[in-house]
Amino acid sequence: ITFPLLSVTLLVSFGSSMLYGYNLAVVNSPAEHIKAFYNSTWSQRYGHGLAPGPLTLLYALTVSIFALGGLVGSLLVGVLVERYGRNGALSRSALLVLLAGGFMGFSQELGSPEMVIIGRSITGLHSGGCFLGCAQPLPHGSNLRGFLGLMPSIFICLGVFSAQVLGLPELLGKDRFWPLFLSVVVVPASLQLLLLHCFPESPRYLLIERNDVCGATKALHRFLGTPDVQDVIEEMREEQRSLSSMEMASVWQLLRDRSMRWQTLSVVVVNAGMQLSGIDAIWFYTNTIFENAGIPVSQIPYTTMGTGAIEVVAGLIGCFTIERVGRRPLIITGFCAMGVCSAGITISLLLQAALPWMRYVSVACVVGIIAGFCMGPAGVPFLMTAELFMQSHRPAAYIVGGSLNWLCNFTIGFIFPFLQMSAGAFCYLVFCGVCLLVALYVYLVIPETKNKTFMEISHIFA
């Protein structure tokens, strides 16, 4: 792997995937401070505070509106990339983060809960666009494809961990700092905006979309660090020739295409399962989960930070082993571990009244869910969406997978507080069932895609 290729991958992941992870976890530690702000603002406006039910509803909307913004962003990204290229789309979306940071940073000063919600939705818009914009695979069947394909998942974990560290009481976890805590997102976005122009455009975009052979060759020379890039050019030319006789499939055409039904169903299952596994409930509401498990309130921020460190390690393990063990083992093992640990949380919560040490079992199960997710399900679904389809169907597949991903993210973020109130400890059994069913589907249906070209993978399904 060359320094330019690693550098641009790190930069794009730092300004997109890391922000996604940060925004998943940033609402966890200041939850009570944000609720207090909402309550006091409501009281100033209307002369009375909010009841617990409406307050929970308003906060759940603040948490989950991020996913609705992501849904809109995922639907717009194709148009942006086609018009401005990968680098141009990423640069323009970084400007959105600066706007969102301003809304959230000045919300308390201006006494406006609406600004927090608007800021969260704009950060979601950025994440939705960047995720699909940077999730494209390398054009060749080399062992870099899996490594670089999982690089964004490492930065998701780093983003979550950064939010957990900055949310400590000694840093930005105090009441008066929560607007600054939410608006820290402007820092990585600014760095990406400043540095992205130092790298060439995506070679695949240049050759296939713009037919710029010279530009694609120069970009490959820069990224791969070798004068001989003819094999890579030829593979992309072969794909371009195959596309010349066909038009890009729409979402409706993809859903109706019987030759693609198993690939499409696989994208639906792994992307929906990724979010319905309960990982977003863990990230959005970690402190609440630990509080219900009986962990002392003073220890919760540090326990949460410990889980974040473990998830980074798990993500690194997945990133460096994906080309050795393949995609299937990582995603199957990850979902199975998450399912078992979800059941473990239910059991530990039911028994903790009689066995106080069960609270530590709950913490271990939360760690197991996060580690299992980061080793495979965090990044492999995006990689699989890219690898299961030819270029003609890939944009539609991204729209299907991305839309489901964000809709399920919104659903979990919005309903989990109410699910937890109504079902108690048994709510985790829902996640257990989802994880085990997805693992079974992958085992029975989805083939290994390691070191295979897009054409070979299509022939396996056909």
Side-chain angles (χ1 to χ4, degrees):
I1 187 168
T2 63
F3 180 74
L5 184 59
L6 181 62
S7 298
V8 75
T9 305
L10 292 176
L11 178 64
V12 171
S13 297
F14 179 71
S16 53
S17 302
M18 188 169 177
L19 284 184
Y20 171 74
Y22 186 87
N23 283 306
L24 285 177
V26 72
V27 289
N28 175 48
S29 62
E32 295 306 315
H33 305 320
I34 296 173
K35 287 179 182 178
F37 166 62
Y38 286 179
N39 209 19
S40 63
T41 304
W42 194 273
S43 181
Q44 290 171 9
R45 290 182 182 180
Y46 305 107
H48 60 86
L50 280 162
L55 183 59
T56 300
L57 183 67
L58 188 59
Y59 182 71
L61 178 64
T62 304
V63 170
S64 56
I65 197 74
F66 171 73
L68 286 186
L71 173 61
V72 176
S74 69
L75 295 175
L76 294 176
V77 65
V79 177
L80 292 174
V81 171
E82 185 177 344
R83 173 172 291 187
Y84 301 113
R86 196 75 43 78
N87 285 7
L90 288 172
S91 297
R92 284 162 175 78
S93 64
L95 294 173
L96 290 175
V97 181
L98 305 185
L99 178 63
F103 271 106
M104 295 185 291
F106 292 103
S107 58
Q108 188 177 38
E109 191 73 23
L110 299 175
S112 174
E114 296 85 357
M115 290 177 68
V116 181
I117 296 172
I118 292 170
R120 286 281 295 169
S121 66
I122 294 174
T123 56
L125 188 67
H126 165 267
S127 291
C130 282
F131 241 153
L132 298 186
C134 71
Q136 305 290 342
L138 286 177
H140 46 93
S142 74
N143 58 8
L144 292 178
R145 198 169 69 195
F147 174 80
L148 295 181
L150 276 196
M151 188 67 76
S153 70
I154 300 295
F155 277 84
I156 294 173
C157 298
L158 284 171
V160 171
F161 183 58
S162 301
Q164 291 164 343
V165 172
L166 290 175
L168 292 175
E170 293 84 355
L171 298 175
L172 299 180
K174 293 189 174 80
D175 181 20
R176 67 181 184 275
F177 290 143
W178 68 260
L180 176 62
F181 186 30
L182 294 184
S183 60
V184 165
V185 292
V186 302
V187 176
S190 299
L191 285 174
Q192 187 185 69
L193 198 60
L194 290 172
L195 298 177
L196 200 58
H197 72 278
C198 298
F199 297 93
E201 183 56 83
S202 159
R204 174 177 291 276
Y205 169 80
L206 289 172
L207 190 119
I208 294 180
E209 300 293 338
R210 292 288 179 88
N211 201 30
D212 182 1
V213 179
C214 182
T217 304
K218 288 180 180 178
L220 285 169
H221 284 319
R222 175 90 182 273
F223 285 136
L224 300 181
T226 174
D228 184 17
V229 294
Q230 197 57 38
D231 290 345
V232 184
I233 292 289
E234 277 307 311
E235 184 188 330
M236 290 193 292
R237 277 186 173 281
E238 180 185 344
E239 187 171 352
Q240 187 185 40
R241 284 192 292 270
S242 69
L243 289 172
S244 63
S245 60
M246 65 180 76
E247 59 184 34
M248 302 300 282
S250 66
V251 172
W252 179 242
Q253 289 170 327
L254 175 66
L255 296 176
R256 294 185 63 189
D257 189 340
R258 294 182 64 83
S259 67
M260 289 285 171
R261 63 186 181 277
W262 282 109
Q263 290 98 312
T264 305
L265 181 60
S266 298
V267 165
V268 168
V269 170
V270 296
N271 279 279
M274 175 184 174
Q275 300 298 341
L276 297 179
S277 66
I279 187 64
D280 289 315
I282 299 291
W283 276 334
F284 285 146
Y285 302 105
T286 312
N287 286 14
T288 304
I289 293 169
F290 284 156
E291 190 176 340
N292 291 338
I295 304 299
V297 174
S298 61
Q299 295 178 16
I300 287 176
Y302 307 98
T303 307
T304 300
M305 188 181 71
T307 66
I310 291 170
E311 73 193 52
V312 173
V313 174
L316 287 169
I317 292 172
C319 192
F320 285 102
T321 60
I322 186 168
E323 291 302 336
R324 186 179 298 272
V325 301
R327 281 72 160 143
R328 269 168 51 89
L330 279 182
I331 197 168
I332 291 171
T333 303
F335 274 117
C336 285
M338 294 174 75
V340 170
C341 290
S342 294
I345 292 180
T346 295
I347 294 169
S348 61
L349 289 176
L350 293 174
L351 296 179
Q352 73 179 21
L355 302 170
W357 53 269
M358 273 289 175
R359 70 182 65 171
Y360 302 109
V361 176
S362 293
V363 174
C365 287
V366 169
V367 170
I369 290 172
I370 292 173
F373 180 78
C374 290
M375 283 184 66
V380 174
F382 297 110
L383 188 59
M384 279 187 165
T385 302
E387 291 182 332
L388 292 179
F389 294 90
M390 286 293 293
Q391 183 75 12
S392 59
H393 289 76
R394 198 174 297 132
Y398 271 125
I399 291 173
V400 171
S403 299
L404 272 172
N405 201 298
W406 288 110
L407 280 172
C408 294
N409 185 315
F410 172 78
T411 301
I412 294 299
F414 191 73
I415 71 169
F416 180 73
F418 303 99
L419 182 64
Q420 198 174 36
M421 286 190 288
S422 59
F426 295 102
C427 68
Y428 299 98
L429 293 181
V430 176
F431 304 139
C432 171
V434 169
C435 290
L436 296 180
L437 286 173
V438 173
L440 181 63
Y441 177 88
V442 174
Y443 177 77
L444 294 175
V445 176
I446 300 180
E448 180 56 67
T449 59
K450 182 180 72 170
N451 291 337
K452 291 183 174 67
T453 66
F454 309 123
M455 296 292 288
E456 291 170 342
I457 295 166
S458 296
H459 289 152
I460 292 173
F461 273 104

